[in-house]
Amino acid sequence: MFRNNYDNDSVTFSPQGRIFQVEYAAEAVKQGSVVVGIASKTHAVLVAIKRNAEELSSYQKKLFPIDEHTGIAIAGLTSDARVLSNFMKQQCLGHRLTYGRNMPIRNLVEQIGSKAQNNTQHYGKRPYGVGLLIAGVDNTGPHLFEFQPSGMTEEMQAFAIGARSQMARTYLERHLDAFQDSSREELITHGLRALKESLVQDRELTVDNTSVGVVGFIKEGEASYKVDPFKVYDGQEVSVFLEKVSDSAEGGAAPAAGGEAEGEGMEVDS
């Protein structure tokens, strides 16, 4: 980990132009369990694998509602995610009190991007060790954004972050053309299939370790819309979605990919 004293803080560049503290924060995201997000013309979906630190502990939450029109999925340090989620809730509430309407998703994402990037400019602060997928709707439709510890944000049609997320992204790339016109149920099914691709051979999606979050958008006129509020499905509520994935697998869908085990070296989002 020693980088000739260039990794002691987040405000010192190495001679190669790198900030090692930001890179270490990105590694914390890679240690977290995988989360997948997909957006269509009418809905945005987040699905996640939950971990438990040990057999006696409960599964930690991976999906957090922010406002009625948006929610997040996390990969990395849960404590840092709570700080950012509370900040996002305050921004949404302040915007609603000031303007009487939901905060545009892009504005919200830019706020947390600036907050995170500010930590790389001041000595004594550190980057947030968490990556986010932000799903939401506004008057322009559904949106999915990725947030990185460096403060960089980018809009996506479909994406996955966390351990072994490359396998989930490969699935998403193969089916990218189908997402825009997919229904709510089809989006959830695609998300769970992508999640399944990232699992090791001896693990399965269950009602205990799987979470699903959905937010929708219904156009009511040229400039008006109705929000299908962000809802998180946990426990037995997920079973109906898992049955559809299981049925499609029996019908000939690609089996879950095997390979090396997930990185468990750092106790992150569990």
Side-chain angles (χ1 to χ4, degrees), residues 242-256:
L242 295 179
E243 288 172 4
K244 292 181 181 179
V245 175
S246 176
D247 292 342
S248 63
E250 292 172 1

Side-chain angles (χ1 to χ4, degrees), residues 168-186:
R169 288 198 293 270
T170 299
Y171 174 91
L172 296 174
E173 290 167 1
R174 288 202 310 265
H175 298 84
L176 186 61
D177 295 338
F179 296 151
Q180 275 296 295
D181 297 316
S182 293
S183 66
R184 177 180 181 272
E185 287 70 24
E186 289 171 341

Side-chain angles (χ1 to χ4, degrees), residues 115-132:
K115 181 177 176 65
Q117 202 274 334
N118 190 56
N119 282 14
T120 67
Q121 293 179 300
H122 296 277
Y123 188 86
K125 294 187 176 182
R126 66 165 177 81
Y128 293 104
V130 65
L132 307 178

Side-chain angles (χ1 to χ4, degrees), residues 91-126:
Q91 296 302 308
C92 287
L93 180 59
H95 190 278
R96 188 188 302 278
L97 291 173
T98 304
Y99 300 103
R101 60 179 183 269
N102 292 335
M103 188 174 190
I105 305 301
R106 183 175 295 277
N107 291 8
L108 177 62
V109 172
E110 287 176 354
Q111 291 272 3
I112 61 167
S114 297
K115 181 177 176 65
Q117 202 274 334
N118 190 56
N119 282 14
T120 67
Q121 293 179 300
H122 296 277
Y123 188 86
K125 294 187 176 182
R126 66 165 177 81

Side-chain angles (χ1 to χ4, degrees), residues 6 23 30 46 76 83 100 111 149-150 157 165 172 195 201 226 253-254 256 265:
Y6 293 113
E23 295 182 17
K30 294 178 183 178
L46 299 172
V83 172
Q111 291 272 3
S150 62
Q157 185 176 340
S165 59
L172 296 174
L195 207 61
Q201 287 179 328
K226 179 182 178 182

Side-chain angles (χ1 to χ4, degrees), residues 46-149:
L46 299 172
V47 294
I49 285 284
K50 297 183 290 186
R51 288 181 188 162
N52 55 343
E54 55 183 57
E55 291 297 324
L56 298 178
S57 67
S58 63
Y59 289 85
Q60 284 196 336
K61 290 179 63 177
K62 295 278 289 181
L63 304 183
F64 294 86
I66 299 299
D67 202 357
E68 68 165 7
H69 71 304
T70 184
I72 63 173
I74 70 168
L77 300 176
T78 305
S79 53
D80 284 5
R82 289 197 182 98
V83 172
L84 289 175
S85 66
N86 288 337
F87 173 78
M88 294 170 73
K89 290 176 182 178
Q90 292 169 3
Q91 296 302 308
C92 287
L93 180 59
H95 190 278
R96 188 188 302 278
L97 291 173
T98 304
Y99 300 103
R101 60 179 183 269
N102 292 335
M103 188 174 190
I105 305 301
R106 183 175 295 277
N107 291 8
L108 177 62
V109 172
E110 287 176 354
Q111 291 272 3
I112 61 167
S114 297
K115 181 177 176 65
Q117 202 274 334
N118 190 56
N119 282 14
T120 67
Q121 293 179 300
H122 296 277
Y123 188 86
K125 294 187 176 182
R126 66 165 177 81
Y128 293 104
V130 65
L132 307 178
L133 291 181
I134 303 109
V137 296
D138 54 29
N139 59 356
T140 61
H143 299 280
L144 175 70
F145 283 88
E146 180 209 7
F147 163 86
Q148 297 180 14

